[in-house]
Structures are given as structure tokens and as C-alpha cells.
Amino acid sequence: MTTFVDRVELHVAAGNGGHGCASVHREKFKPLGGPDGGNGGRGGDVILTVDQSVTTLLDYHHSPHRKATNGKPGEGGNRSGKDGQDLVLPVPDGTVVLDKAGNVLADLVGHGTSYVAAQGGRGGLGNAALASARRKAPGFALLGEPGDLQDVVLELKTVADVALVGYPSAGKSSLISVLSAAKPKIADYPFTTLVPNLGVVTAGSTVYTIADVPGLIPGASQGKGLGLEFLRHVERCSVLVHVLDTATLESERDPVSDLDVIEEELKQYGGGLDRRPRIVVLNKVDVPDGKDLAEMVRPDLEARGYRVFEVSAVAHLGLRELSFALAEIVAKARAAKPKEEATRIVIRPKAVDDAGFTVSREEFGGELLFRVRGEKPERWVRQTDFNNDEAVGYLADRLNRLGVEEELMKAGARSGDGVAIGPEENAVVFDWEPSMTAGAEMLGRRGEDHRFEAPRPAAQRRRDRDAERDEAMREYGDFDPFAE
């Protein structure tokens, strides 16, 4: 059984943000020290990073569920919670990240290239951060946001300059073993190669990589044999090499018909393989019958426009000429490749009239429902502790300042109508009341505490004594009734 895995479905969960803390500073002789609740920590991200030492996705095949750590909650004394640790998942060079629908999210090529597959949730603000000149003593804090949950598909496409294609037992693995230092498994039976083999070849000053595609047979592009599983590994190559067996023992096969079959499979598969430069290698010319057959079909192949090389992997014939010809094509492809420019940071500010949310009318269960969608309203809902009346009132104030209430009225909402904030599967639904109150009005404006406005007992006693002395001085002139 092979341990090579080149396609997996990965379920990743970023860390949740820590909750903010609602706390009041307590110190001797300072009964009203003010809010000092710290912020919650950020949840950890899940990051896919290219690591050259990783060659397979086997680890994720056995353990497809991965989760980053959560942020810690804030504490009193203005102590913020610790951020969650990012989870870095190493993947092979050439890994493509797709969503469940098959859309490409990222193409990870080059050591260190990374992609954030799931973003950690923000930490909630503590009541110290929520305090202001108008809201001196918030009795609530914001909740941390949940981290992203994502299901992604990882596909490995080998990063190779040269791809060897051909029937099973055509000699592709043998050719790699003599052109490079690779040591693939070699034997004379179909589907010997169960995984793509990769080797590094040095020809003069050019160093390039060479890979073979296992098990191409008629119908491979429709899933027969192993070809469909591995054709993706040659999509990035600069040149295709058709390895044709000139010493096959199957009477119904010959090099030209083998070439036509493989060409048709490449065309059916797509991916731009039918437009790659080609070289034809007539292998096993060390066998007498193979040499005769190679000389017979070579003119026909050259008439089609192919460069043809007669080689023998066993006898090491024709390998130097083939190696340098491949190096020449690879060098030209590299020179023609556009230079990579530094990534430009593009800033796209939102329009000044962009409210950042939408209000739509829906029918739900035979009743009218108004749904509010937008990044800010949905995030604010996730951050709200609905067991705290003051926190609910703070949410109402934020929504009103954003203009949600005004848009609801324009959409025709009336008192008592249902309003949902968020997507259908995870929405907060409530009966709407214009200028919503939260039951915390006994505190004055939300977040205010009249105890801060009332004088402290010691200060009040000093003021009373000073007032009494001033009154006595006005009545007796310079006489001080308190003097001895």
C-alpha cells in the first residue's frame, strides 16, 4: 500500500476570541476606582505554509480535523487575555487550496508561501476600553468572536520542469533513475509506479527537475487506471516527454499508436497539457527488435514535427543528448517566463455613501420578516451578551448610530415586526421597537453611574465645615468662634 497522498479534504477551525472582562477597580479608600476590565485575546489563525521537507499530504489524510487555540479572556486590573497560538500546517511545494465547489483559493508555490485558511476571532473589549466621557462605568464587556470554520480541499501538483508520460512499463522510472539520482521502484509489470517519482538532473549549467506520471492507459482522463489521479502532477511542467516502448511484447501495440493514445488522453484531460512542447523518446533500443522498430517509426514521428531520441536506460545509450536537449527547452521556458514583481498593496476604500449593511423584506412562516445583513451589524451581534440588559442597550445604540433603525423604517417596518440580523442559519431574531430601550434607564444614559456625580462622604463633610466657618465669619467679622 502506498503512503503517497496527493488529495485530501481538510476541516480547519480557527481559535475563538477571548471574552472581555467587566470589572471595577477596588482599592482601600477608593470605593469608586472606575472600570478596569481587560480585553480578550485574539484567537489563533490556521495557516498553510509551504515546507520543502514535506512531500505528501499523508498527515492530513489520517488527521483531517485541525484547530487553533482560543484567546484567553481578559481580567481585572486592565490585564488583557493572551492571544491564541497560530496553527501552522506545513504542505508540499505545489499545493493548491480549493473550496468544496472546486474554486481555487490559493496556489502555494515556493518555500515559505502561506495562506490563512481560517482566521481567528477577535477578542472582546473589556469595560475599561468601552468607558468614555459619557459612559464612565460600563457594567458589561463584549464577547469574543468565534473563529472561522472552513472545509478546504488540498491538491498536490508536483513542481517539475520535465514530465515523462507513457504506457506502464515503457521505461519511465528506469529513465529517471539513470538521468538523476532518484531510486524509484522498477519492475516489468503494469502499474509498477504507484506514486509520481521526482528527480533532479544537471546538464551543463542548467539544473532541472524531472517527474513521471504513473499508469496512463486508454481512458485515463475519464478515471480508468491511475492516470487521472496523477495527471495533475504534470500541469506545471515546461516540456512533455513521450516515452515509447520499442520492445513491447503486446502484438496490438506499437510506438505510433501508443503516442496517439496518450496524446488523446492529454487532450481530454485539459489543463493546457496539449499545448506543452514535446519530445519523443524511443526507449529500449538495446534490444535488437527494438532498434529495428525505432528506425522504422522514427521518420513518421519526425514528419509530425517531433524531436526524436533513441535511448536505452539499461545500456545508457543516448542519455547525454537527451539530457542536454531537455535542458535547452527548460532554459528557454524559464527565460520566457515573466519576472515576478513585488506584490502591490492595493487600497480600495469604501464609498462614502456605503452604509455597510442591507435591509431586505422576506416572508418567513407566513409572517413578514426584515433581514439585516452586513459585516458590522453581524459582528456586533456576535459580540453582545444578551443576558446583560446594558449590553443589549449598547448594541441598540450602535445599530441606531449606524442607521439601521432609519433603514428599517424606510423599508416599511412597524413596531412589533420581526427583524433578523445575520444569515438565515445563524441569525438573531427579535421584535422591533423604534428607539429600543434596554431596561437600564435607572442608570441614566447607558453606561453612566450617578454615584460618580455624587460627592464622597469625606469630601462632603469638609465642604459642610468650610461652609459653616464662612457663615460664622460673615456674622462675627474677624472673630473666629472656632479659635481658642
Side-chain angles (χ1 to χ4, degrees), residues 250-272:
E250 300 179 33
S251 58
E252 67 276 8
R253 285 178 50 198
D254 64 83
V256 176
S257 62
D258 286 358
L259 175 66
D260 292 338
V261 169
I262 299 302
E263 279 290 330
E264 182 62 25
E265 294 305 318
L266 296 176
K267 181 179 179 181
Q268 292 295 328
Y269 179 79

Side-chain angles (χ1 to χ4, degrees), residues 51-135:
D51 187 338
Q52 297 286 6
S53 64
V54 179
T55 58
T56 177
L57 300 172
L58 181 64
D59 287 346
Y60 309 121
H61 173 72
H62 293 307
S63 302
H65 297 271
R66 301 299 178 101
K67 187 181 188 309
T69 57
N70 298 330
K72 300 296 183 182
E75 299 179 7
N78 292 305
R79 289 173 292 182
S80 296
K82 183 180 179 181
D83 290 341
Q85 187 173 0
D86 293 339
L87 178 62
V88 179
L89 302 178
V91 296
D93 192 4
T95 300
V96 179
V97 186
L98 307 99
D99 60 17
K100 296 293 289 292
N103 301 312
V104 176
L105 303 177
D107 193 353
L108 305 179
V109 178
H111 183 74
T113 305
S114 61
Y115 170 71
V116 179
Q119 192 165 20
R122 302 185 187 185
L125 296 179
N127 65 341
L130 295 172
S132 65
R134 297 182 57 187
R135 187 184 301 104

Side-chain angles (χ1 to χ4, degrees), residues 160-463:
D161 298 303
V162 178
L164 306 183
V165 294
Y167 267 76
S169 296
K172 300 186 297 297
S173 298
S174 299
L175 199 56
I176 279 190
S177 68
V178 295
L179 286 174
S180 70
K183 301 300 180 185
K185 180 180 178 182
I186 300 171
D188 188 19
Y189 52 87
F191 299 111
T192 300
T193 305
L194 299 179
V195 302
N197 293 312
L198 191 66
V200 179
V201 182
T202 301
S205 60
T206 304
V207 179
Y208 58 92
T209 54
I210 185 169
D212 74 281
V213 182
L216 276 182
I217 62 173
S221 60
Q222 281 74 43
K224 288 187 179 182
L226 302 176
L228 181 62
E229 295 297 323
F230 298 115
L231 272 173
R232 70 171 69 96
H233 290 277
V234 298
E235 289 185 18
R236 304 182 191 275
C237 67
S238 301
V239 56
L240 285 172
V241 177
H242 283 285
V243 182
L244 304 180
D245 186 357
T246 62
T248 178
L249 299 178
E250 300 179 33
S251 58
E252 67 276 8
R253 285 178 50 198
D254 64 83
V256 176
S257 62
D258 286 358
L259 175 66
D260 292 338
V261 169
I262 299 302
E263 279 290 330
E264 182 62 25
E265 294 305 318
L266 296 176
K267 181 179 179 181
Q268 292 295 328
Y269 179 79
L273 296 181
D274 55 331
R275 298 188 298 272
R276 296 288 193 278
R278 276 132 164 90
I279 280 181
V280 172
V281 170
L282 298 174
N283 193 22
K284 304 181 183 179
V285 295
D286 56 306
V287 179
D289 292 342
K291 178 65 174 177
D292 295 339
L293 183 57
E295 293 177 351
M296 185 184 305
V297 301
R298 179 167 186 161
D300 186 13
L301 296 173
E302 290 178 339
R304 297 188 183 188
Y306 294 110
R307 292 181 66 182
V308 181
F309 294 84
E310 298 179 14
V311 305
S312 171
V314 175
H316 290 214
L317 299 175
L319 300 180
R320 179 177 174 83
E321 294 81 0
L322 173 62
S323 178
F324 277 86
L326 294 175
E328 180 184 355
I329 297 176
V330 170
K332 289 182 179 179
R334 291 174 179 174
K337 186 177 180 180
K339 294 183 179 180
E340 296 184 1
E341 298 181 357
T343 303
R344 296 182 179 180
I345 300 176
V346 180
I347 301 176
R348 296 184 176 88
K350 293 183 178 180
V352 294
D353 58 347
D354 183 8
F357 68 92
T358 59
V359 176
S360 59
R361 295 167 61 104
E362 300 178 5
E363 289 288 338
F364 186 79
E367 297 183 1
L368 183 62
L369 181 71
F370 294 85
R371 187 175 300 277
V372 179
R373 295 299 309 272
E375 180 184 352
K376 286 185 177 180
E378 294 179 32
R379 185 175 77 242
W380 293 345
V381 165
R382 292 193 298 267
Q383 293 175 329
T384 300
D385 179 6
F386 287 93
N387 294 320
N388 186 305
D389 289 339
E390 192 177 346
V392 175
Y394 177 67
L395 171 64
D397 288 344
R398 299 176 90 180
L399 294 175
N400 290 344
R401 287 197 298 270
L402 188 63
V404 173
E405 182 171 310
E406 181 180 355
E407 290 300 319
L408 285 170
M409 296 180 68
K410 290 181 180 178
R414 298 291 181 265
S415 177
D417 287 344
V419 173
I421 300 179
E424 184 175 348
E425 63 276 6
N426 186 25
V428 173
V429 183
F430 57 91
D431 293 333
W432 182 61
E433 293 292 340
S435 300
M436 182 186 299
T437 59
E441 283 69 23
M442 70 288 296
L443 297 176
R445 290 178 296 185
R446 295 188 184 103
E448 292 188 351
D449 192 333
H450 292 300
R451 293 176 297 174
F452 281 101
E453 300 173 2
R456 299 182 181 182
Q460 186 61 44
R461 286 195 298 270
R462 285 198 305 270
R463 291 192 185 95

